[in-house]
Amino acid sequence: MVRFWTVISLLFLIVSCDQATKVVAREHLANTDGHSFLGGFLSLQFAENPGAFLSMGANFDETTRFWIFTVVVGIVLTIAGYMLIKKPMDWITTIGLTLLIGGGIGNLIDRAMKGTVTDFLLIDFGFARTGIFNVADMVIMVGFGLLLIDSITSKNEKDTAAL
C-alpha cells in the first residue's frame, strides 16, 4: 500500500508542477523575447512544440501527429501504468517508471487540450545548447536514466552471481 500511495503522490506532484509551470510560461513568456539567467546559462523562452522530443515529428501532418503522439503515447502510458500497479519491481524501477509516466501524462495533457506541448526552458553550456524543453521532459529523462542505471546494475549483479 505504501508503494501505491508513493506512486500516486509522485504522479500528482509531477503533473501539477509540469502544468503549473506551463501556465506560467504561456502567461508570462508568450509574445516576449524570453529571459536569460546565470550569464545566459539558463534561458526561459516560450515555444509551442507540435512534435515530440526536440521537435521530432513536428513536420508530420496533424492527423499523423494525433495518432502517434496522443493515441499511441496514451496506450503506452496505460500499459506502463498497468505494469507499475500489477508487477513487482524494486524501488528504483518503480520511481523511474513513475517519472516516465508522470512526464508523459504532463505532455499528453497539453496534446489533448491544445494539440501542441508548451516548452520554455533552454540551457546553454557554451560548447553545446539544449533544445527548448519543459518540466515533463526533464522528469522523463531522469526516469529514463534511473531505469537505465537499474538495468545496468541489475545485469552486473546477475553476471557477478553467475561467476
Side-chain angles (χ1 to χ4, degrees):
M1 200 57 145
V2 170
R3 181 176 127 169
F4 175 80
W5 287 111
T6 301
V7 167
I8 294 299
S9 299
L10 191 53
L11 286 173
F12 179 77
L13 180 66
I14 292 165
V15 174
S16 297
C17 287
D18 176 64
Q19 291 300 300
T21 57
K22 288 173 180 175
V23 166
V24 171
R26 285 191 292 270
E27 289 178 359
H28 298 284
L29 294 174
N31 303 316
T32 72
D33 291 334
H35 306 282
S36 291
F37 302 93
L38 304 171
F41 174 74
L42 174 67
S43 295
L44 302 178
Q45 183 177 336
F46 181 79
E48 289 292 344
N49 181 1
F53 182 70
L54 298 176
S55 296
M56 289 187 291
N59 59 345
F60 294 168
D61 65 83
E62 192 173 330
T63 303
T64 303
R65 283 195 317 263
F66 170 77
W67 281 100
I68 293 173
F69 300 135
T70 305
V71 175
V72 172
V73 168
I75 291 168
V76 169
L77 290 174
T78 301
I79 292 168
Y82 175 81
M83 288 174 50
L84 187 61
I85 292 168
K86 294 293 184 182
K87 302 288 182 190
M89 55 185 70
D90 61 33
W91 274 102
I92 293 176
T93 304
T94 299
I95 299 302
L97 192 55
T98 300
L99 294 175
L100 283 173
I101 293 168
I105 290 170
N107 283 338
L108 191 60
I109 290 170
D110 280 18
R111 288 194 190 288
M113 302 298 275
K114 303 183 326 359
T116 61
V117 173
T118 300
D119 290 332
F120 57 91
L121 295 164
L122 181 94
I123 298 175
D124 187 344
F125 294 98
F127 61 89
R129 191 177 163 168
T130 67
I132 302 175
F133 60 97
N134 60 44
V135 171
D137 297 334
M138 286 189 305
V139 171
I140 289 168
M141 294 304 293
V142 171
F144 178 76
L146 286 175
L147 292 175
L148 185 62
I149 290 167
D150 188 49
S151 173
I152 291 168
T153 57
S154 294
K155 182 184 180 317
N156 289 342
E157 287 172 6
K158 287 178 188 174
D159 290 346
T160 304
L163 296 175

